[in-house]
Amino acid sequence: MPARLISIPFLLSTALFAYLALEVDEQYSLYIVASVIVLAIIYTLSPQINWWWYRKHPPEIDAPMRKLLVDNHAFYNDLSVAEKQTFRHRMALYKMAVEFIPKGWEQIPEDVKGVIAANVVQMTFRKEDFLLPKFERIVVYKLPFPSPQFPEVLHASEVFEEDGVFLFSAQQVMWSFAQPSTYYNLVLHEYVNAFRLSYPSLDYPIETTIEWSLLERISGFKKEQIEGIINLPNQSKTTVSGVLFFTHGSTFQRLAPKLYQKWETIFGGENRTIL
């Protein structure tokens, strides 16, 4: 980490001045205090220092994840070479910015983390600020799970605003990534929910003006399929329409141009998969 590298000279100087204070002159102890103060400042600011460095020198995602994008992510494949690099860099930065928490297994596979990151990067790709700072924790289970909010229902995704946390089942995450025409994208669903919670004053489509029949025609998914993969009822039609803006953009624009334009204004346009 860059902050650790910056701290090395001050750690060495602290050791040097400690030696000099003991062996030569105790007045060198004043320099120890100065070095310790600088180290404390570096430690306190280490998240900001590290983030600044990695924004200037973003890391690359690994080769297997790059192949997954090429094989499965239509939006990524439609980008220019420079935009693809930006997309990958943002994925790597997002994975660094959030805390992934495994539940029921020791470690979350890197491809699952990458797929989750790819969804939020697509959603905010036309935004300067591509993070959702209110939501910095992602709990990942292997399979559908109960939660404190829904203790009696095994479900595959959820966003909990009070704790700023997403909850996902890895199984359904990978289904919707590998087979987007068969499975509704529950990762984008929760990220659109979180975006709405993060920016509540934006002019979102009104729930009561959206019909499930329209969403079904746009996506080819029945309401039961959309709610079924998440396995929680009463999902927001506004949120579902936001997801379809990204996953079924061409059909959406043709069947509901005014509703489509609402989301294009919010997300900056051209963020959609051509389906």
Side-chain angles (χ1 to χ4, degrees), residues 13-14 18 29 39 51 56 80 88 94 120 122 125 133 136 148 154 160 190 198 210 212 220 248 271:
S13 65
T14 300
S29 60
L39 285 169
W51 184 250
K56 296 291 185 181
S80 68
R88 297 193 306 270
Y94 183 76
V120 67
Q122 180 183 355
F125 193 68
E136 296 182 336
L154 295 178
F160 187 54
E190 302 304 349
S198 298
I210 304 170
W212 273 110
H248 293 74
N271 289 34

Side-chain angles (χ1 to χ4, degrees), residues 62-80:
D62 60 25
M65 190 63 227
R66 290 180 70 163
K67 186 175 187 307
L68 272 180
L69 288 176
V70 171
D71 290 345
N72 296 281
H73 206 285
F75 173 74
Y76 173 80
N77 286 314
D78 282 341
L79 297 174
S80 68

Side-chain angles (χ1 to χ4, degrees), residues 88-102:
R88 297 193 306 270
H89 288 170
R90 284 189 171 191
M91 281 179 60
L93 289 169
Y94 183 76
K95 288 169 64 179
M96 293 171 54
V98 300
E99 179 186 8
F100 284 95
I101 304 168

Side-chain angles (χ1 to χ4, degrees), residues 90-202:
R90 284 189 171 191
M91 281 179 60
L93 289 169
Y94 183 76
K95 288 169 64 179
M96 293 171 54
V98 300
E99 179 186 8
F100 284 95
I101 304 168
K103 281 289 186 180
W105 49 0
E106 291 186 4
Q107 191 171 358
I108 302 168
E110 288 301 314
D111 59 346
V112 176
K113 293 181 184 179
V115 166
I116 292 171
N119 279 281
V120 67
V121 169
Q122 180 183 355
M123 183 183 73
T124 59
F125 193 68
R126 305 300 174 190
K127 303 289 186 185
E128 180 66 26
D129 184 3
F130 62 94
L131 304 175
L132 296 175
K134 287 178 63 176
F135 299 91
E136 296 182 336
R137 299 166 64 216
I138 303 172
V139 177
V140 183
Y141 298 78
K142 283 186 179 181
L143 298 169
F145 51 86
S147 70
Q149 294 300 300
F150 304 98
E152 298 181 0
V153 181
L154 295 178
H155 52 291
S157 69
E158 182 184 340
V159 60
F160 187 54
E161 182 180 14
E162 286 78 359
D163 290 340
V165 61
F166 295 99
L167 299 94
F168 291 114
S169 162
Q171 181 183 65
Q172 281 71 19
V173 166
M174 300 308 290
W175 283 355
S176 62
F177 181 74
Q179 302 179 65
S181 61
T182 303
Y183 296 103
Y184 174 73
N185 192 319
L186 77 172
V187 181
L188 267 175
H189 184 93
E190 302 304 349
Y191 274 108
V192 172
N193 276 333
F195 188 92
R196 293 175 63 195
L197 292 168
S198 298
Y199 304 101
S201 62
L202 295 179

